[in-house]
Amino acid sequence: EPEVTQTPSHQVTQMGQEVILRCVPISNHLYFYWYRQILGQKVEFLVSFYNNEISEKSEIFDDQFSVERPDGSNFTLKIRSTKLEDSAMYFCASSGASIQSSGANVLTFGAGSRLTVL
Amino acid sequence: GESVGLHLPTLSVQEGDNSIINCAYSNSASDYFIWYKQESGKGPQFIIDIRSNMDKRQGQRVTVLLNKTVKHLSLQIAATQPGDSAVYFCAENDAGNMLTFGGGTRLMVKP
Protein backbone atom coordinates (compact mmCIF):
# COMPACT_ATOMS: atom_id res chain seq x y z
CA GLU A 1 0.00 0.00 0.00
CA PRO A 2 1.38 3.46 -0.89
CA GLU A 3 2.83 5.41 2.02
CA VAL A 4 3.69 8.96 2.92
CA THR A 5 7.32 8.93 4.03
CA GLN A 6 8.76 11.46 6.45
CA THR A 7 12.34 12.20 7.42
CA PRO A 8 13.88 12.53 9.87
CA SER A 9 11.91 10.47 12.33
CA HIS A 10 13.37 12.48 15.18
CA GLN A 11 15.36 15.70 15.13
CA VAL A 12 16.88 17.49 18.08
CA THR A 13 17.86 21.10 17.59
CA GLN A 14 18.95 24.10 19.58
CA MET A 15 16.59 27.01 20.06
CA GLY A 16 17.09 29.56 17.31
CA GLN A 17 18.23 27.06 14.72
CA GLU A 18 16.44 26.35 11.47
CA VAL A 19 15.04 22.92 10.71
CA ILE A 20 13.70 21.36 7.56
CA LEU A 21 11.31 18.45 7.78
CA ARG A 22 10.95 16.38 4.65
CA CYS A 23 8.05 14.44 3.25
CA VAL A 24 7.61 12.25 0.21
CA PRO A 25 3.89 12.20 -0.54
CA ILE A 26 2.19 9.41 -2.43
CA SER A 27 3.32 9.77 -6.01
CA ASN A 28 0.07 10.64 -7.79
CA HIS A 29 -1.32 12.87 -5.05
CA LEU A 30 -2.00 16.53 -5.69
CA TYR A 31 -2.81 17.96 -2.26
CA PHE A 32 -0.26 18.19 0.51
CA TYR A 33 -0.59 19.09 4.16
CA TRP A 34 1.32 19.63 7.35
CA TYR A 35 -0.19 19.07 10.78
CA ARG A 36 1.47 19.12 14.16
CA GLN A 37 0.77 17.45 17.48
CA ILE A 38 2.29 18.74 20.67
CA LEU A 39 2.85 15.87 23.08
CA GLY A 40 -0.41 14.76 24.64
CA GLN A 41 -2.47 17.29 22.73
CA LYS A 42 -4.67 17.25 19.67
CA VAL A 43 -3.55 17.26 16.08
CA GLU A 44 -3.50 20.81 14.67
CA PHE A 45 -3.67 21.89 11.06
CA LEU A 46 -0.79 24.01 9.80
CA VAL A 47 -1.05 24.34 6.05
CA SER A 48 -2.37 22.83 2.84
CA PHE A 49 -0.65 23.09 -0.53
CA TYR A 50 -2.04 22.58 -3.99
CA ASN A 51 -0.90 23.51 -7.46
CA ASN A 52 2.42 24.80 -6.12
CA GLU A 53 0.94 27.26 -3.71
CA ILE A 54 -0.50 27.44 -0.23
CA SER A 55 -4.26 27.00 -0.36
CA GLU A 56 -5.05 27.27 3.35
CA LYS A 57 -3.10 27.98 6.50
CA SER A 58 -3.86 28.26 10.17
CA GLU A 59 -2.92 30.96 12.65
CA ILE A 60 -0.05 28.75 13.79
CA PHE A 61 1.54 28.96 10.35
CA ASP A 62 3.13 32.36 10.71
CA ASP A 63 6.23 33.85 9.07
CA GLN A 64 8.41 31.42 10.98
CA PHE A 65 7.11 28.61 8.79
CA SER A 66 7.37 27.96 5.09
CA VAL A 67 6.63 25.08 2.77
CA GLU A 68 8.10 24.11 -0.52
CA ARG A 69 7.81 21.47 -3.15
CA PRO A 70 11.34 21.72 -4.56
CA ASP A 71 10.96 18.87 -7.02
CA GLY A 72 8.37 16.40 -8.18
CA SER A 73 8.54 14.21 -5.13
CA ASN A 74 9.43 16.11 -1.95
CA PHE A 75 7.33 18.43 0.19
CA THR A 76 9.22 20.26 2.92
CA LEU A 77 8.35 22.25 6.02
CA LYS A 78 10.94 24.79 7.10
CA ILE A 79 10.86 26.24 10.59
CA ARG A 80 13.10 29.25 11.05
CA SER A 81 14.53 30.28 14.40
CA THR A 82 12.96 27.42 16.34
CA LYS A 83 11.43 28.03 19.75
CA LEU A 84 10.91 25.65 22.64
CA GLU A 85 7.19 25.57 21.90
CA ASP A 86 7.86 24.26 18.40
CA SER A 87 8.66 20.90 19.96
CA ALA A 88 6.04 18.57 18.57
CA MET A 89 5.34 15.72 16.20
CA TYR A 90 4.90 17.05 12.69
CA PHE A 91 2.73 15.01 10.34
CA CYS A 92 2.76 15.30 6.60
CA ALA A 93 -0.28 14.11 4.66
CA SER A 94 -1.30 13.93 1.05
CA SER A 95 -4.44 13.26 -0.93
CA GLY A 96 -5.31 12.68 -4.54
CA ALA A 97 -8.43 14.77 -4.34
CA SER A 98 -9.89 17.44 -2.12
CA ILE A 99 -11.45 16.37 1.16
CA GLN A 100 -14.62 18.31 0.42
CA SER A 101 -15.22 16.49 -2.84
CA SER A 102 -13.96 13.01 -2.07
CA GLY A 103 -13.88 12.66 1.68
CA ALA A 104 -11.13 12.27 4.24
CA ASN A 105 -10.58 8.65 3.32
CA VAL A 106 -8.43 9.96 0.47
CA LEU A 107 -6.06 11.54 2.98
CA THR A 108 -2.99 9.56 4.03
CA PHE A 109 -0.81 10.63 6.94
CA GLY A 110 2.84 9.87 7.38
CA ALA A 111 4.26 8.48 10.60
CA GLY A 112 5.53 11.89 11.65
CA SER A 113 8.77 13.67 12.46
CA ARG A 114 9.39 14.38 16.09
CA LEU A 115 11.06 17.74 16.65
CA THR A 116 12.68 18.47 19.98
CA VAL A 117 13.91 22.00 20.57
CA LEU A 118 16.35 22.44 23.46
CA GLY B 1 -13.11 30.12 18.61
CA GLU B 2 -14.83 27.10 17.15
CA SER B 3 -13.60 23.82 18.55
CA VAL B 4 -14.12 20.13 18.62
CA GLY B 5 -13.75 18.40 21.95
CA LEU B 6 -14.16 15.09 23.71
CA HIS B 7 -15.99 14.17 26.90
CA LEU B 8 -13.75 11.34 28.12
CA PRO B 9 -9.97 11.33 27.97
CA THR B 10 -9.58 7.59 28.75
CA LEU B 11 -11.91 4.67 28.19
CA SER B 12 -11.12 1.21 29.48
CA VAL B 13 -13.17 -1.73 28.22
CA GLN B 14 -13.07 -5.49 28.43
CA GLU B 15 -12.18 -7.39 25.30
CA GLY B 16 -15.34 -8.36 23.50
CA ASP B 17 -17.42 -5.54 24.91
CA ASN B 18 -18.69 -2.65 22.85
CA SER B 19 -16.98 0.74 23.11
CA ILE B 20 -18.54 4.15 22.72
CA ILE B 21 -16.35 7.21 22.26
CA ASN B 22 -18.00 10.60 22.30
CA CYS B 23 -17.19 13.97 20.80
CA ALA B 24 -18.81 17.40 21.03
CA TYR B 25 -18.37 20.02 18.35
CA SER B 26 -19.28 23.67 18.40
CA ASN B 27 -18.95 24.79 14.79
CA SER B 28 -22.49 24.63 13.44
CA ALA B 29 -21.10 25.26 9.94
CA SER B 30 -19.28 21.93 9.95
CA ASP B 31 -20.86 19.52 7.53
CA TYR B 32 -18.43 16.66 7.53
CA PHE B 33 -17.08 14.62 10.43
CA ILE B 34 -14.40 11.98 10.64
CA TRP B 35 -13.07 9.55 13.21
CA TYR B 36 -9.36 8.76 13.29
CA LYS B 37 -7.38 6.13 15.15
CA GLN B 38 -3.83 6.86 16.21
CA GLU B 39 -1.57 4.10 17.40
CA SER B 40 1.65 4.83 19.22
CA GLY B 41 4.33 6.13 16.88
CA LYS B 42 2.02 6.41 13.90
CA GLY B 43 0.03 9.07 12.14
CA PRO B 44 -3.76 9.31 12.31
CA GLN B 45 -5.55 6.57 10.41
CA PHE B 46 -8.99 7.12 8.88
CA ILE B 47 -11.73 4.95 10.39
CA ILE B 48 -15.09 6.25 9.25
CA ASP B 49 -16.76 9.48 8.23
CA ILE B 50 -20.23 10.98 8.06
CA ARG B 51 -21.73 13.97 6.35
CA SER B 52 -24.24 16.24 8.01
CA ASN B 53 -27.13 14.98 5.89
CA MET B 54 -26.90 11.64 7.68
CA ASP B 55 -27.29 10.67 11.33
CA LYS B 56 -25.78 7.20 11.22
CA ARG B 57 -23.20 5.37 9.17
CA GLN B 58 -21.90 1.87 9.63
CA GLY B 59 -18.62 0.28 8.70
CA GLN B 60 -16.97 -2.93 9.65
CA ARG B 61 -17.45 -3.20 13.45
CA VAL B 62 -17.73 0.58 13.68
CA THR B 63 -20.70 2.90 13.65
CA VAL B 64 -20.69 6.68 13.72
CA LEU B 65 -23.70 8.55 15.03
CA LEU B 66 -24.28 12.25 14.46
CA ASN B 67 -26.72 14.34 16.44
CA LYS B 68 -26.77 17.77 14.89
CA THR B 69 -29.31 19.10 17.37
CA VAL B 70 -26.87 18.84 20.26
CA LYS B 71 -23.72 18.89 18.11
CA HIS B 72 -22.61 15.48 19.25
CA LEU B 73 -20.72 12.74 17.47
CA SER B 74 -20.00 9.23 18.69
CA LEU B 75 -18.00 6.24 17.55
CA GLN B 76 -19.20 2.80 18.47
CA ILE B 77 -16.86 -0.14 18.19
CA ALA B 78 -18.45 -3.56 18.39
CA ALA B 79 -16.71 -6.50 20.04
CA THR B 80 -13.66 -4.46 20.96
CA GLN B 81 -10.36 -6.21 20.40
CA PRO B 82 -6.86 -5.59 21.82
CA GLY B 83 -5.86 -4.20 18.42
CA ASP B 84 -8.40 -1.44 18.91
CA SER B 85 -6.32 0.03 21.73
CA ALA B 86 -5.28 3.47 20.52
CA VAL B 87 -6.15 7.14 20.79
CA TYR B 88 -9.26 8.09 18.87
CA PHE B 89 -9.83 11.58 17.51
CA CYS B 90 -12.88 13.10 15.99
CA ALA B 91 -12.31 15.75 13.34
CA GLU B 92 -14.53 18.17 11.50
CA ASN B 93 -14.46 19.97 8.21
CA ASP B 94 -16.62 22.92 7.21
CA ALA B 95 -14.94 23.95 3.94
CA GLY B 96 -11.75 23.47 2.02
CA ASN B 97 -9.28 20.83 3.05
CA MET B 98 -8.60 21.77 6.65
CA LEU B 99 -9.50 19.29 9.37
CA THR B 100 -10.07 20.46 12.93
CA PHE B 101 -9.29 17.70 15.39
CA GLY B 102 -10.69 17.12 18.83
CA GLY B 103 -8.61 16.39 21.91
CA GLY B 104 -8.52 12.58 21.69
CA THR B 105 -9.74 9.67 23.80
CA ARG B 106 -7.44 6.84 24.77
CA LEU B 107 -9.13 3.46 24.44
CA MET B 108 -7.60 0.69 26.51
CA VAL B 109 -8.81 -2.86 25.91
CA LYS B 110 -8.33 -5.31 28.75
CA PRO B 111 -7.86 -8.96 27.76
Side-chain angles (χ1 to χ4, degrees):
Chain A
E1 188 170 328
E3 292 184 331
V4 173
T5 305
Q6 291 187 242
T7 55
S9 57
H10 188 192
Q11 180 158 355
V12 181
T13 190
Q14 293 292 323
M15 191 168 53
Q17 296 297 305
E18 175 183 285
V19 299
I20 297 176
L21 304 179
R22 291 181 167 80
C23 171
V24 179
I26 292 174
S27 62
N28 60 348
H29 281 186
L30 302 174
Y31 297 80
F32 313 108
Y33 315 83
W34 283 101
Y35 284 79
R36 80 172 185 190
Q37 185 178 30
I38 295 171
L39 185 64
Q41 298 186 24
K42 61 185 179 182
V43 178
E44 300 174 291
F45 172 81
L46 293 178
V47 66
S48 62
F49 191 87
Y50 172 72
N51 200 25
N52 285 319
E53 61 183 21
I54 292 172
S55 49
E56 296 165 278
K57 62 180 181 179
S58 69
E59 293 177 352
I60 302 168
F61 195 87
D62 58 20
D63 292 343
Q64 184 193 6
F65 295 89
S66 62
V67 289
E68 192 178 28
R69 189 158 162 78
D71 53 42
S73 60
N74 290 285
F75 179 54
T76 62
L77 174 69
K78 182 187 289 186
I79 309 173
R80 286 179 283 273
S81 189
T82 50
K83 306 187 287 275
L84 295 176
E85 53 265 38
D86 294 327
S87 295
M89 182 74 87
Y90 288 81
F91 292 104
C92 175
S94 69
S95 64
S98 71
I99 292 171
Q100 273 284 309
S101 64
S102 299
N105 57 315
V106 301
L107 186 68
T108 301
F109 282 87
S113 291
R114 179 168 297 283
L115 176 64
T116 301
V117 182
L118 303 177
Chain B
E2 302 289 3
S3 66
V4 180
L6 293 173
H7 295 307
L8 299 173
T10 304
L11 177 65
S12 184
V13 299
Q14 203 69 41
E15 181 179 357
D17 287 353
N18 297 333
S19 302
I20 300 176
I21 301 172
N22 297 302
C23 176
Y25 66 94
S26 58
N27 184 359
S28 49
S30 292
D31 61 357
Y32 178 48
F33 304 89
I34 310 102
W35 280 102
Y36 281 94
K37 174 184 182 183
Q38 187 178 25
E39 296 173 289
S40 180
K42 297 183 180 179
Q45 178 186 4
F46 174 91
I47 301 173
I48 192 168
D49 58 0
I50 188 167
R51 295 204 178 265
S52 59
N53 60 351
M54 302 173 68
D55 53 21
K56 181 179 179 179
R57 188 156 190 240
Q58 288 184 292
Q60 187 176 15
R61 281 202 308 119
V62 294
T63 301
V64 55
L65 299 178
L66 175 63
N67 185 330
K68 294 180 287 294
T69 303
V70 295
K71 298 193 183 77
H72 184 267
L73 189 69
S74 69
L75 176 70
Q76 299 178 0
I77 304 173
T80 315
Q81 301 168 359
D84 295 326
S85 294
V87 177
Y88 290 81
F89 293 94
C90 61
E92 62 167 330
N93 171 262
D94 63 358
N97 288 301
M98 183 177 81
L99 297 178
T100 300
F101 282 80
T105 294
R106 180 174 300 280
L107 176 64
M108 298 174 63
V109 182
K110 297 177 287 187

PDB file of all heavy atoms in Angstrom, chain A residues 35-50:
ATOM      1  N   TYR A  35       0.491  18.952   9.503  1.00  0.00           N
ATOM      2  CA  TYR A  35      -0.186  19.068  10.780  1.00  0.00           C
ATOM      3  C   TYR A  35       0.875  18.902  11.862  1.00  0.00           C
ATOM      4  O   TYR A  35       1.942  18.332  11.622  1.00  0.00           O
ATOM      5  CB  TYR A  35      -1.234  17.958  10.961  1.00  0.00           C
ATOM      6  CG  TYR A  35      -2.513  18.145  10.193  1.00  0.00           C
ATOM      7  CD1 TYR A  35      -2.586  17.855   8.833  1.00  0.00           C
ATOM      8  CD2 TYR A  35      -3.666  18.612  10.823  1.00  0.00           C
ATOM      9  CE1 TYR A  35      -3.769  18.028   8.127  1.00  0.00           C
ATOM     10  CE2 TYR A  35      -4.851  18.775  10.132  1.00  0.00           C
ATOM     11  CZ  TYR A  35      -4.893  18.484   8.783  1.00  0.00           C
ATOM     12  OH  TYR A  35      -6.076  18.657   8.095  1.00  0.00           O
ATOM     13  N   ARG A  36       0.561  19.378  13.050  1.00  0.00           N
ATOM     14  CA  ARG A  36       1.474  19.119  14.156  1.00  0.00           C
ATOM     15  C   ARG A  36       0.687  18.654  15.380  1.00  0.00           C
ATOM     16  O   ARG A  36      -0.512  18.914  15.511  1.00  0.00           O
ATOM     17  CB  ARG A  36       2.307  20.352  14.507  1.00  0.00           C
ATOM     18  CG  ARG A  36       1.584  21.366  15.366  1.00  0.00           C
ATOM     19  CD  ARG A  36       2.484  22.458  15.855  1.00  0.00           C
ATOM     20  NE  ARG A  36       1.754  23.337  16.771  1.00  0.00           N
ATOM     21  CZ  ARG A  36       2.211  24.483  17.220  1.00  0.00           C
ATOM     22  NH1 ARG A  36       3.420  24.911  16.859  1.00  0.00           N
ATOM     23  NH2 ARG A  36       1.493  25.208  18.050  1.00  0.00           N
ATOM     24  N   GLN A  37       1.390  17.960  16.262  1.00  0.00           N
ATOM     25  CA  GLN A  37       0.766  17.448  17.478  1.00  0.00           C
ATOM     26  C   GLN A  37       1.763  17.626  18.615  1.00  0.00           C
ATOM     27  O   GLN A  37       2.766  16.900  18.696  1.00  0.00           O
ATOM     28  CB  GLN A  37       0.373  15.985  17.325  1.00  0.00           C
ATOM     29  CG  GLN A  37      -0.380  15.415  18.497  1.00  0.00           C
ATOM     30  CD  GLN A  37      -0.783  13.971  18.269  1.00  0.00           C
ATOM     31  OE1 GLN A  37      -0.114  13.218  17.574  1.00  0.00           O
ATOM     32  NE2 GLN A  37      -1.906  13.568  18.866  1.00  0.00           N
ATOM     33  N   ILE A  38       1.500  18.587  19.462  1.00  0.00           N
ATOM     34  CA  ILE A  38       2.294  18.742  20.673  1.00  0.00           C
ATOM     35  C   ILE A  38       1.973  17.572  21.583  1.00  0.00           C
ATOM     36  O   ILE A  38       0.829  17.104  21.635  1.00  0.00           O
ATOM     37  CB  ILE A  38       1.989  20.091  21.344  1.00  0.00           C
ATOM     38  CG1 ILE A  38       2.437  21.230  20.417  1.00  0.00           C
ATOM     39  CG2 ILE A  38       2.669  20.203  22.697  1.00  0.00           C
ATOM     40  CD1 ILE A  38       1.997  22.611  20.859  1.00  0.00           C
ATOM     41  N   LEU A  39       2.983  17.087  22.286  1.00  0.00           N
ATOM     42  CA  LEU A  39       2.845  15.868  23.083  1.00  0.00           C
ATOM     43  C   LEU A  39       1.607  15.903  23.976  1.00  0.00           C
ATOM     44  O   LEU A  39       1.417  16.823  24.763  1.00  0.00           O
ATOM     45  CB  LEU A  39       4.104  15.667  23.926  1.00  0.00           C
ATOM     46  CG  LEU A  39       4.165  14.361  24.722  1.00  0.00           C
ATOM     47  CD1 LEU A  39       4.201  13.165  23.788  1.00  0.00           C
ATOM     48  CD2 LEU A  39       5.370  14.355  25.647  1.00  0.00           C
ATOM     49  N   GLY A  40       0.775  14.889  23.805  1.00  0.00           N
ATOM     50  CA  GLY A  40      -0.408  14.763  24.644  1.00  0.00           C
ATOM     51  C   GLY A  40      -1.568  15.638  24.242  1.00  0.00           C
ATOM     52  O   GLY A  40      -2.600  15.633  24.917  1.00  0.00           O
ATOM     53  N   GLN A  41      -1.413  16.372  23.146  1.00  0.00           N
ATOM     54  CA  GLN A  41      -2.473  17.286  22.729  1.00  0.00           C
ATOM     55  C   GLN A  41      -3.065  16.850  21.385  1.00  0.00           C
ATOM     56  O   GLN A  41      -2.700  15.827  20.838  1.00  0.00           O
ATOM     57  CB  GLN A  41      -1.937  18.720  22.669  1.00  0.00           C
ATOM     58  CG  GLN A  41      -1.446  19.226  24.017  1.00  0.00           C
ATOM     59  CD  GLN A  41      -1.053  20.692  23.985  1.00  0.00           C
ATOM     60  OE1 GLN A  41      -1.512  21.448  23.147  1.00  0.00           O
ATOM     61  NE2 GLN A  41      -0.212  21.082  24.917  1.00  0.00           N
ATOM     62  N   LYS A  42      -3.992  17.630  20.904  1.00  0.00           N
ATOM     63  CA  LYS A  42      -4.670  17.246  19.670  1.00  0.00           C
ATOM     64  C   LYS A  42      -3.836  17.590  18.448  1.00  0.00           C
ATOM     65  O   LYS A  42      -2.889  18.370  18.503  1.00  0.00           O
ATOM     66  CB  LYS A  42      -6.032  17.925  19.582  1.00  0.00           C
ATOM     67  CG  LYS A  42      -5.975  19.430  19.555  1.00  0.00           C
ATOM     68  CD  LYS A  42      -7.378  20.023  19.592  1.00  0.00           C
ATOM     69  CE  LYS A  42      -7.344  21.530  19.590  1.00  0.00           C
ATOM     70  NZ  LYS A  42      -8.695  22.113  19.662  1.00  0.00           N
ATOM     71  N   VAL A  43      -4.200  16.992  17.354  1.00  0.00           N
ATOM     72  CA  VAL A  43      -3.547  17.261  16.081  1.00  0.00           C
ATOM     73  C   VAL A  43      -4.055  18.612  15.546  1.00  0.00           C
ATOM     74  O   VAL A  43      -5.261  18.862  15.537  1.00  0.00           O
ATOM     75  CB  VAL A  43      -3.857  16.133  15.076  1.00  0.00           C
ATOM     76  CG1 VAL A  43      -3.233  16.418  13.730  1.00  0.00           C
ATOM     77  CG2 VAL A  43      -3.379  14.793  15.620  1.00  0.00           C
ATOM     78  N   GLU A  44      -3.130  19.459  15.121  1.00  0.00           N
ATOM     79  CA  GLU A  44      -3.501  20.811  14.667  1.00  0.00           C
ATOM     80  C   GLU A  44      -3.075  21.021  13.223  1.00  0.00           C
ATOM     81  O   GLU A  44      -1.945  20.719  12.848  1.00  0.00           O
ATOM     82  CB  GLU A  44      -2.804  21.863  15.527  1.00  0.00           C
ATOM     83  CG  GLU A  44      -3.124  21.806  16.999  1.00  0.00           C
ATOM     84  CD  GLU A  44      -2.276  22.782  17.794  1.00  0.00           C
ATOM     85  OE1 GLU A  44      -1.055  22.554  17.901  1.00  0.00           O
ATOM     86  OE2 GLU A  44      -2.827  23.778  18.294  1.00  0.00           O
ATOM     87  N   PHE A  45      -3.955  21.574  12.459  1.00  0.00           N
ATOM     88  CA  PHE A  45      -3.669  21.885  11.059  1.00  0.00           C
ATOM     89  C   PHE A  45      -2.681  23.052  10.964  1.00  0.00           C
ATOM     90  O   PHE A  45      -2.800  24.051  11.681  1.00  0.00           O
ATOM     91  CB  PHE A  45      -4.972  22.263  10.358  1.00  0.00           C
ATOM     92  CG  PHE A  45      -4.813  22.779   8.959  1.00  0.00           C
ATOM     93  CD1 PHE A  45      -4.653  21.907   7.893  1.00  0.00           C
ATOM     94  CD2 PHE A  45      -4.840  24.145   8.694  1.00  0.00           C
ATOM     95  CE1 PHE A  45      -4.525  22.383   6.596  1.00  0.00           C
ATOM     96  CE2 PHE A  45      -4.710  24.627   7.406  1.00  0.00           C
ATOM     97  CZ  PHE A  45      -4.549  23.749   6.357  1.00  0.00           C
ATOM     98  N   LEU A  46      -1.719  22.910  10.084  1.00  0.00           N
ATOM     99  CA  LEU A  46      -0.791  24.011   9.804  1.00  0.00           C
ATOM    100  C   LEU A  46      -1.077  24.633   8.436  1.00  0.00           C
ATOM    101  O   LEU A  46      -1.333  25.826   8.329  1.00  0.00           O
ATOM    102  CB  LEU A  46       0.658  23.525   9.835  1.00  0.00           C
ATOM    103  CG  LEU A  46       1.212  23.068  11.178  1.00  0.00           C
ATOM    104  CD1 LEU A  46       2.637  22.568  11.010  1.00  0.00           C
ATOM    105  CD2 LEU A  46       1.157  24.197  12.183  1.00  0.00           C
ATOM    106  N   VAL A  47      -1.015  23.794   7.394  1.00  0.00           N
ATOM    107  CA  VAL A  47      -1.054  24.345   6.047  1.00  0.00           C
ATOM    108  C   VAL A  47      -1.470  23.269   5.040  1.00  0.00           C
ATOM    109  O   VAL A  47      -1.228  22.083   5.253  1.00  0.00           O
ATOM    110  CB  VAL A  47       0.339  24.916   5.692  1.00  0.00           C
ATOM    111  CG1 VAL A  47       1.376  23.795   5.618  1.00  0.00           C
ATOM    112  CG2 VAL A  47       0.325  25.719   4.406  1.00  0.00           C
ATOM    113  N   SER A  48      -2.117  23.713   3.978  1.00  0.00           N
ATOM    114  CA  SER A  48      -2.365  22.828   2.839  1.00  0.00           C
ATOM    115  C   SER A  48      -1.785  23.470   1.589  1.00  0.00           C
ATOM    116  O   SER A  48      -1.675  24.703   1.496  1.00  0.00           O
ATOM    117  CB  SER A  48      -3.859  22.550   2.657  1.00  0.00           C
ATOM    118  OG  SER A  48      -4.570  23.740   2.386  1.00  0.00           O
ATOM    119  N   PHE A  49      -1.426  22.649   0.633  1.00  0.00           N
ATOM    120  CA  PHE A  49      -0.646  23.095  -0.526  1.00  0.00           C
ATOM    121  C   PHE A  49      -1.187  22.387  -1.749  1.00  0.00           C
ATOM    122  O   PHE A  49      -1.347  21.170  -1.752  1.00  0.00           O
ATOM    123  CB  PHE A  49       0.817  22.714  -0.273  1.00  0.00           C
ATOM    124  CG  PHE A  49       1.825  23.300  -1.214  1.00  0.00           C
ATOM    125  CD1 PHE A  49       2.370  24.547  -0.964  1.00  0.00           C
ATOM    126  CD2 PHE A  49       2.268  22.584  -2.323  1.00  0.00           C
ATOM    127  CE1 PHE A  49       3.336  25.075  -1.805  1.00  0.00           C
ATOM    128  CE2 PHE A  49       3.227  23.105  -3.163  1.00  0.00           C
ATOM    129  CZ  PHE A  49       3.776  24.355  -2.894  1.00  0.00           C
ATOM    130  N   TYR A  50      -1.493  23.161  -2.771  1.00  0.00           N
ATOM    131  CA  TYR A  50      -2.042  22.584  -3.994  1.00  0.00           C
ATOM    132  C   TYR A  50      -1.619  23.435  -5.170  1.00  0.00           C
ATOM    133  O   TYR A  50      -1.605  24.670  -5.088  1.00  0.00           O
ATOM    134  CB  TYR A  50      -3.581  22.525  -3.903  1.00  0.00           C
ATOM    135  CG  TYR A  50      -4.264  22.133  -5.191  1.00  0.00           C
ATOM    136  CD1 TYR A  50      -4.193  20.829  -5.657  1.00  0.00           C
ATOM    137  CD2 TYR A  50      -4.981  23.077  -5.935  1.00  0.00           C
ATOM    138  CE1 TYR A  50      -4.821  20.470  -6.853  1.00  0.00           C
ATOM    139  CE2 TYR A  50      -5.604  22.724  -7.119  1.00  0.00           C
ATOM    140  CZ  TYR A  50      -5.523  21.417  -7.570  1.00  0.00           C
ATOM    141  OH  TYR A  50      -6.138  21.057  -8.741  1.00  0.00           O
TER     142      TYR A  50
END
